[in-house]
Amino acid sequence: GHASGAPPAWLARPAVWLHAVAVALWIGSLPPLAQALGDTPDLAWLKRFSRFIPVAVLALFASGGVLIYLQFDTLSSLWLTNYGQVLAIKLVLVIILLGLAAYNRYSLTQAVLRGDTRRRRAMRRIIFLECALAASILAVAALWRFTPPPRALNVAPAHVISTKIHTDAAMADLALDPAADGRPAALTLYLSNHDLTPLAAQEVEVAFSNAAAGIEPVVFPAILASDGAWRVENIELPRQDIWQIRIDALVSDFERVSLEATLELPE
């Protein structure tokens, strides 16, 4: 979503992928690790986990740092924007999670490998707590779908009109820059699936209409930009306060996705 669409795309998309893989490796290993430390322990799991987890955590922080750099314009955005506040809460929870992980690794692991039953049970309880914290972190991160990142707030001019469209088939974030000072209007559009991954469309068309004013749909082709956005430039339309917008995205030779929204232009 927001993160993979941040320019430059060549850096943002690999960072999102690496971040997701690192999270999956770390968090996904905790439940089987807890299972392996049960009444009939399999300590080989703990040895393997101890070897690879530093690499996953390093990848997690490196990719996360890149994404923060791409999404934030100033340090004050961390507490002045909703996006930054969500990040701050997430980071606090991550620090707590890292503290528990460090305690397990540096205070309990060697004792557990030596066969200390009491330490093994303590480690297992902490791992269950880590799983709960990880679920909380993912829940907090899910709030980002409702909050534009600071770099978008900084770039988007105040007169741009934006809206979101949610359907069973797909989602769209669109921003219309109305005509002004002899300059034609322009539309920027991001299409995504429900898991916030970019919707891979072969072609996209945008139709403007106003049934009340008797204006039939005027169709404009959209051009895919390097940052993953679809753009419609040089939109010349009669002056109206309200436009119905229909987005038609050709996903494959047999599938077409349509999304509709109404935009009210300021007077």
Side-chain angles (χ1 to χ4, degrees):
H2 295 316
S4 62
W10 64 264
L11 180 60
R13 291 181 180 176
V16 169
W17 178 85
L18 183 60
H19 201 67
V21 169
V23 169
L25 286 174
W26 183 11
I27 306 306
S29 298
L30 293 178
L33 178 60
Q35 180 67 27
L37 295 174
D39 294 333
T40 56
D42 179 5
L43 298 183
W45 249 102
L46 180 58
K47 292 178 182 179
R48 288 193 296 268
F49 181 83
S50 298
R51 282 197 301 267
F52 85 77
I53 198 60
V55 177
V57 172
L58 180 61
L60 183 75
F61 274 85
S63 57
V66 169
L67 294 174
I68 291 173
Y69 172 77
L70 294 178
Q71 296 287 48
F72 281 79
D73 49 355
T74 62
L75 180 62
S76 61
S77 295
L78 187 63
W79 57 85
L80 294 180
T81 65
N82 291 333
Y83 192 96
Q85 291 163 10
V86 170
L87 175 64
I89 295 172
K90 179 188 174 185
L91 290 178
V92 169
L93 294 175
V94 168
I95 290 171
I96 296 172
L97 180 59
L98 282 173
L100 292 174
Y103 179 77
N104 269 350
R105 180 176 178 83
Y106 297 110
S107 297
L108 299 181
T109 295
Q110 292 304 317
V112 173
L113 292 176
R114 289 194 301 267
D116 189 322
T117 301
R118 184 174 64 85
R119 297 293 180 90
R120 174 172 55 80
R121 290 173 179 170
M123 176 180 282
R124 194 164 186 255
R125 289 193 296 269
I126 292 175
I127 291 173
F128 284 133
L129 181 56
E130 287 180 293
C131 290
L133 268 173
S136 300
I137 292 169
L138 295 176
V140 170
L143 297 174
W144 271 330
R145 65 178 296 181
F146 306 109
T147 58
R151 54 99 184 167
L153 294 173
N154 185 50
V155 171
H159 62 274
V160 168
I161 304 162
S162 60
T163 188
K164 295 179 180 290
I165 309 174
H166 296 259
T167 70
D168 293 337
M171 298 186 295
D173 290 353
L174 59 88
L176 177 67
D177 189 358
D181 301 324
R183 171 181 52 79
L187 182 74
T188 301
L189 172 67
Y190 288 92
L191 296 173
S192 60
N193 299 299
H194 279 284
D195 59 357
L196 300 182
T197 57
L199 178 67
Q202 297 179 11
E203 61 182 47
V204 174
E205 292 182 339
V206 181
F208 293 76
S209 63
N210 188 323
I215 301 176
E216 295 296 323
V218 182
V219 181
F220 297 89
I223 304 299
L224 181 62
S226 60
D227 62 355
W230 290 88
R231 290 192 170 87
V232 181
E233 306 286 353
N234 300 319
I235 301 174
E236 296 184 356
L237 295 167
R239 172 65 182 175
Q240 294 292 327
D241 295 332
I242 296 177
W243 284 104
Q244 286 81 42
I245 295 180
R246 188 186 74 250
I247 302 163
D248 289 320
L250 181 64
V251 179
S252 69
D253 293 340
F254 306 99
E255 182 180 2
R256 181 180 294 271
V257 174
S258 295
L259 305 99
E260 297 186 4
T262 299
L263 288 184
E264 296 186 12
L265 278 64
E267 298 180 358

